[in-house]
Amino acid sequence: MKLSLIAVACSAVLVSGLAAGPALAAAPAAAPASAPAGDTALRDKAKSAGLEALPFGAGKVANNPMIHEKIDLGAMLFFDPRLSTSGLISCNTCHNLSMGGDDNQSTSIGHGWQKGPRNAPTVFNAVYNKAQFWDGRAADLKAQAKGPIQAGVEMNSKPEAVVATLKSMPEYVERFHRAFPGETDPVSFDNVAKALEAFEATLVTPSAPFDNWLEGDDSAMTKEQKEGLALFIGTGCTACHTGVNIGGQAYFPFGLIKKPGADILPPGDKGRFAVTKTASDEYVFRAGPLRNIALTAPYFHSGQVWDLEEAVGIMANAQLGKELSDHDAKQIAIFLTALTGEQPRVMLPILPVETKDTPKPKP
């Protein structure tokens, strides 16, 4: 079975009626009509600030050949709730591919209705992040895939239980042999993680209005989005949010200039400190990638802010020490809607049927 991964356009939210800023001034008469000076100058600023277009096609992964059989297997595993002890929770539960790649919850609900400690990041374009999880404790998607399956508050399973479940279904055994040719016993927890990584690397969202504009299409963004981009750069947001994923590349203290309240920055969650045990890493988190941010409320690791304009204002104040006007926060939020790309369309896989040897669910 081949899964059809077909990109379909997701419309960005466009807000009109706001005046363009100085960066969008009319082009001098000498400028070519096909490349207005305002767009050219702003584009140069964006590139100089480290902003990059998202390429088409799957992202690259290390030490894990991307073959169709592995991608197809990974898709099946992504949607299979039998990887969890309860038989109810799949990867798609918290990273819903129909809702921006997350679950639109403040924090995810896991095994036994337990609430997780942090907001679930989107799986879309995660292959372009420097590391996975808010604290960067997983170096890549392979390592990340193993975490939720074993976490007691999430899928609450164990590697041996996952392997036993998969080996109980002949179709899965056959598919693992095809996905990992040459291996004597390919049904392993490591290969589960590799298959999930291969599939997740295809979950990219190219051709956002910003990407098309950055590559030369001046009409791809509205004048309001361009004004928002100029403010995004001028305010200093690109100090943390750069690269292909417009973030996800480095770690920063949350509250670098001014710490937000305990509802937004819970004192008990010290972020990367739990990974490094270094005092300077207290309340340090990976800069959130901003692609598709208009689809993935609520915001921040605590998931306590539901409004994008409010989130913009909080970050400007906490990280840069700047009080944005309502107008400027709105304009930046309008620019962020231009980061909504083509959403991956995935054909729902038909999963192997369990046998009498398949372990029973334990809700």
Side-chain angles (χ1 to χ4, degrees), residues 71-128:
I71 295 170
D72 289 352
L73 173 61
M76 298 176 82
L77 296 171
F78 188 89
F79 284 98
D80 199 331
R82 293 169 297 188
L83 298 188
S84 69
T85 294
S86 67
L88 296 171
I89 302 170
S90 70
C91 301
N92 191 65
T93 302
C94 298
H95 302 284
N96 194 313
L97 303 189
S98 298
M99 300 197 305
D102 70 346
D103 59 4
N104 299 129
Q105 299 288 321
S106 291
T107 60
S108 298
I109 306 298
H111 185 80
W113 293 98
Q114 298 177 84
K115 293 195 69 174
R118 293 176 183 160
N119 179 259
T122 179
V123 71
F124 291 161
N125 308 307
V127 67
Y128 288 110

Side-chain angles (χ1 to χ4, degrees), residues 56-60 66 71 127-128 198 201-204:
F56 280 87
K60 295 181 180 179
M66 296 276 287
I71 295 170
V127 67
Y128 288 110
T202 70
L203 300 177
V204 295

Side-chain angles (χ1 to χ4, degrees), residues 94-230:
C94 298
H95 302 284
N96 194 313
L97 303 189
S98 298
M99 300 197 305
D102 70 346
D103 59 4
N104 299 129
Q105 299 288 321
S106 291
T107 60
S108 298
I109 306 298
H111 185 80
W113 293 98
Q114 298 177 84
K115 293 195 69 174
R118 293 176 183 160
N119 179 259
T122 179
V123 71
F124 291 161
N125 308 307
V127 67
Y128 288 110
N129 291 332
K130 178 179 181 178
Q132 306 301 320
F133 295 115
W134 284 99
D135 55 18
R137 65 184 182 273
D140 53 29
L141 290 171
K142 288 188 291 292
Q144 187 279 332
K146 293 181 177 181
I149 294 174
Q150 300 178 83
V153 73
E154 296 183 64
M155 297 170 77
N156 192 41
S157 192
K158 299 182 183 302
E160 56 271 22
V162 171
V163 171
T165 296
L166 296 172
K167 282 188 172 181
S168 74
M169 292 175 265
E171 184 182 343
Y172 263 134
V173 175
E174 178 187 349
R175 287 182 176 278
F176 270 89
H177 275 282
R178 294 209 304 262
F180 299 94
E183 295 190 19
T184 304
D185 186 15
V187 186
S188 68
F189 195 55
D190 283 344
N191 284 348
V192 167
K194 288 180 179 179
L196 284 168
E197 178 183 59
F199 172 62
E200 290 175 8
T202 70
L203 300 177
V204 295
T205 62
S207 201
F210 172 72
D211 296 323
N212 296 333
W213 176 85
L214 194 64
E215 293 179 337
D217 182 358
D218 293 336
S219 65
M221 288 204 300
T222 67
K223 65 178 183 179
E224 291 83 12
Q225 289 171 330
K226 293 172 188 176
E227 180 182 349
L229 171 58

Side-chain angles (χ1 to χ4, degrees), residues 240-263:
C240 299
H241 297 282
T242 58
V244 168
N245 224 3
I246 324 296
Q249 305 307 308
Y251 306 99
F252 301 94
F254 191 0
L256 183 63
I257 304 300
K258 181 181 179 181
K259 283 192 175 182
D263 56 332

Side-chain angles (χ1 to χ4, degrees), residues 12-20 24 221-228 309 327 330-331 333-335 337:
V13 179
L14 304 180
V15 181
S16 59
L18 298 174
L24 304 178
M221 288 204 300
T222 67
K223 65 178 183 179
E224 291 83 12
Q225 289 171 330
K226 293 172 188 176
E227 180 182 349
E309 291 177 35
H327 171 270
K330 185 173 186 177
Q331 292 302 98
I334 290 172
F335 158 64
T337 67

